[in-house]
Amino acid sequence: MTSSAPNAIRTRFAPSPTGFLHLGGARTALFSWAFARHHKGVFVLRIEDTDVERSTPEAVQAILDSMQWLGMGPDEGPFYQMQHMDRYREVVAQMLAAGTAYHCYSSPDEVEAMREKARAEGRKPRYDGTWRPAPGKTLPPVPEDRRPVVRFANPQSGVTSWDDMIKGTITFDNGELDDLIIARPDGTPTYNFCVVVDDWDMKITHVLRGDDHVNNTPRQINILRALGATLPEYGHVPMILGPDGEKLSKRHGAVNVMAYDDEGYLPEAMVNYLARLGWSHGDDELFTRDQLVAWFDTKHLSKSASQWDPKKLNWVNAHYIKHMDDAELAARVAPRIVKRGGNPDATDLPAVMGLLKDRAETLEQLADGAMLFCGEFKGAPAELAAQHLTDPAREALRDFAQRAANVEWTREALSATIKQVLADRGMKMPQLGIPLRIAVTGQQQTPAIDAVLAILGRDTVLARLGSV
Ligand code: GLU
């Protein structure tokens, strides 16, 4: 669905594959995805893997899996920065030739000394421009045996300002910005520079990213300007805080997106919940993916940090479970039943879903509940049986079994039969309901017993009652 229109909106998600995709990253990706979709534009995935020490193929895979799970597959990419090295070198060479970058032979120790000096004089610690060429300036002699870094010749006066899509106008004094190193002594390009070249080459029109990148933006803008590139719009998304107001971390539970899959959250619910975390459409709390795309705008992205709320996520997930088609739910829960050693084919699983879904918050809870119908029947624990399967209870159960053998096997008919037994024997519901549950399911607590009996089926129920 790649659009080739010249004015197409192009967004990107540019994760560093140094770990799994966390909730904050997933939300940023979602905003970029929704923005591109809304404008019928292009969503690009770029893997920023230049930190070779910390990047791993497993992390790349985890990012791809998470994005697929959330249904945010890219229109273009994944692209890998490590495959663009020649291009970065080419641009460095162009900038050196154009005089927008220069070789700097100051050693790290010398730069540290410059910083120290600046600090001691109450100035911002920065590189002092020793090797920055200027008209009429004589540069020091090039030291032997030292390979230079390449620095960007940042503008030395004026301001760099942009109208952030989320935070409004942000202005930095150019005098505060260092002449950034864009290539190391071994020629490898640095982080900010790779981002700039790729955003430029990929014709990115809108950058939505975490607000931990605000400080990088003036540097990136100045390099883009030096390259004569059109600037993208920038929007910096505030972070997600834990329920306690602290930075979201493992302490608050899972921060890995895929852990939510393990825990039985639906991707539909996750997308809805994540979108609402920092973006709003009036008072709407529940919306479909299509509605998100139709409504998404940057105007309603929140300027302030959002708070992770596990209870609300459960509420959203419960909503999606409740409204999901029974057969669809059954298909999603079946593998979880198998994991528990159960047999999803042992029962009418969609009917089981229909019975359980109103009270479930996660697919895991549904799978737990479904084991009543899909797991091996082991009978009731002896103590429970001894307590509840008393002589009068057994008599009532036999009475029920005899009558049930002759009725149509529906929830309604079974309910009517239970009521008849109660009436004829002068018993109250729990006096029959509890022994019935224990005899037929081995458990004292189950969903509505008439519905449970109906799904278990005549043969199973009568066989189990026959052996009490
Ligand atoms: N690779 C950066 C990160 O994972 C994102 C860079 C960007 O969005 O500009 O934080």
Side-chain angles (χ1 to χ4, degrees):
M1 278 224 319
T2 302
S3 164
S4 57
N7 300 325
I9 298 281
R10 293 174 63 86
T11 65
R12 84 321 190 258
F13 176 51
S16 304
T18 52
F20 46 70
L21 184 62
H22 57 81
L23 294 166
R27 187 188 57 158
T28 308
L30 180 64
F31 290 159
S32 294
W33 174 87
F35 188 73
R37 280 284 170 285
H38 177 82
H39 292 283
K40 303 200 169 24
V42 178
F43 174 56
V44 178
L45 175 60
R46 179 171 82 223
I47 305 288
E48 306 208 316
D49 55 353
T50 56
D51 183 347
V52 286
E53 304 270 292
R54 294 174 59 224
S55 301
T56 64
E58 293 76 28
V60 171
Q61 196 53 50
I63 291 167
L64 297 177
D65 290 347
S66 303
M67 292 184 68
Q68 192 187 359
W69 182 61
L70 291 171
M72 307 189 295
D75 301 305
E76 291 181 16
F79 299 111
Y80 296 84
Q81 288 194 317
M82 283 308 284
Q83 290 172 8
H84 297 172
M85 284 295 153
D86 290 347
R87 173 63 181 151
Y88 304 139
R89 289 203 170 89
E90 180 182 60
V91 179
V92 168
Q94 280 169 11
M95 292 179 71
L96 284 168
T100 52
Y102 60 93
H103 284 126
C104 163
Y105 291 87
S106 299
S107 68
D109 285 348
E110 285 165 358
V111 174
E112 194 38 50
M114 292 170 199
R115 297 220 157 101
E116 234 1 277
K117 184 159 175 271
R119 261 186 231 115
E121 292 169 6
R123 292 179 288 118
K124 261 209 141 167
R126 50 196 290 261
Y127 172 69
D128 70 1
T130 300
W131 289 91
R132 181 173 170 133
K137 174 175 171 185
T138 312
L139 295 176
V142 171
E144 271 176 43
D145 300 334
R146 191 180 295 164
R147 296 175 72 182
V149 299
V150 179
R151 286 187 185 270
F152 170 59
N154 196 72
Q156 288 178 307
S157 58
V159 296
T160 299
S161 186
W162 75 96
D163 192 10
D164 195 273
M165 289 184 280
I166 298 168
K167 293 179 182 278
T169 304
I170 300 182
T171 305
F172 281 79
D173 221 321
N174 284 330
E176 308 251 298
L177 306 172
D178 235 339
D179 276 1
L180 189 78
I181 296 178
I182 59 173
R184 301 184 185 90
D186 65 0
T188 55
T190 57
Y191 167 74
N192 274 295
F193 183 69
C194 300
V195 170
V196 162
V197 174
D198 281 336
D199 282 344
W200 181 34
D201 284 351
M202 295 174 182
K203 300 187 168 50
I204 300 303
T205 60
H206 293 76
V207 171
L208 283 166
R209 61 185 173 198
D211 67 0
D212 46 333
H213 288 282
V214 165
N215 285 331
N216 289 326
T217 305
R219 299 175 166 85
Q220 296 181 4
I221 287 178
N222 284 336
I223 302 175
L224 283 164
R225 286 206 171 115
L227 290 167
T230 310
L231 298 183
E233 302 267 344
Y234 292 94
H236 289 92
V237 186
M239 62 174 149
I240 303 177
L241 303 177
D244 53 3
E246 298 289 323
K247 193 171 185 287
L248 191 65
S249 73
K250 281 206 190 105
R251 272 182 304 122
H252 301 107
V255 285
N256 175 2
V257 170
M258 289 314 277
Y260 287 87
D261 181 22
D262 295 344
E263 290 175 16
Y265 291 88
L266 292 165
E268 294 87 337
M270 222 45 206
V271 163
N272 186 152
Y273 177 76
L274 280 173
R276 225 0 235 104
L277 203 61
W279 175 79
S280 59
H281 180 266
D283 292 333
D284 291 311
E285 293 294 351
L286 298 164
F287 39 80
T288 63
R289 179 185 295 269
D290 287 347
Q291 285 171 321
L292 168 63
V293 168
W295 296 339
F296 190 78
D297 59 359
T298 51
K299 213 168 85 197
H300 293 96
L301 283 170
S302 169
K303 281 188 177 34
S304 44
S306 350
Q307 213 151 7
W308 187 256
D309 180 351
K311 284 205 190 88
K312 186 170 164 195
L313 173 61
N314 282 353
W315 175 76
V316 174
N317 206 47
H319 166 85
Y320 279 86
I321 285 178
K322 200 169 173 171
H323 290 88
M324 187 168 273
D325 175 68
D326 292 344
E328 174 66 27
L329 262 186
R332 300 204 197 192
V333 171
R336 295 172 193 268
I337 294 172
V338 173
K339 259 199 198 145
R340 285 165 169 72
N343 175 13
D345 300 327
T347 186
D348 179 353
L349 196 54
V352 173
M353 297 295 109
L355 175 63
L356 302 178
K357 71 180 182 180
D358 282 354
R359 292 219 225 145
E361 285 185 332
T362 66
L363 298 181
E364 284 294 278
Q365 289 174 5
L366 281 177
D368 285 341
M371 285 303 281
L372 191 64
F373 305 92
C374 304
E376 193 193 338
F377 177 67
K378 297 201 185 90
E383 208 178 306
L384 205 58
Q387 191 189 343
H388 294 283
L389 300 182
T390 55
D391 286 340
R394 283 171 202 273
E395 229 173 90
L397 288 178
R398 274 193 291 274
D399 185 359
F400 171 77
Q402 266 166 21
R403 301 188 200 209
N406 299 313
V407 300
E408 195 195 343
W409 203 262
T410 62
R411 178 175 182 174
E412 294 69 29
L414 289 163
S415 169
T417 308
I418 291 171
K419 286 196 186 110
Q420 281 161 17
V421 173
L422 294 179
D424 291 355
R425 306 183 78 85
M427 293 169 92
K428 294 223 161 51
M429 184 56 195
Q431 292 173 292
L432 177 60
I434 293 175
L436 196 49
R437 283 180 163 89
I438 290 173
V440 173
T441 70
Q443 299 174 16
Q444 194 171 348
Q445 275 161 7
T446 71
I449 188 62
D450 50 358
V452 171
L453 297 176
I455 295 175
L456 279 174
R458 189 191 303 265
D459 292 351
T460 304
V461 170
L462 295 184
R464 291 180 189 176
L465 284 177
S467 60
V468 291

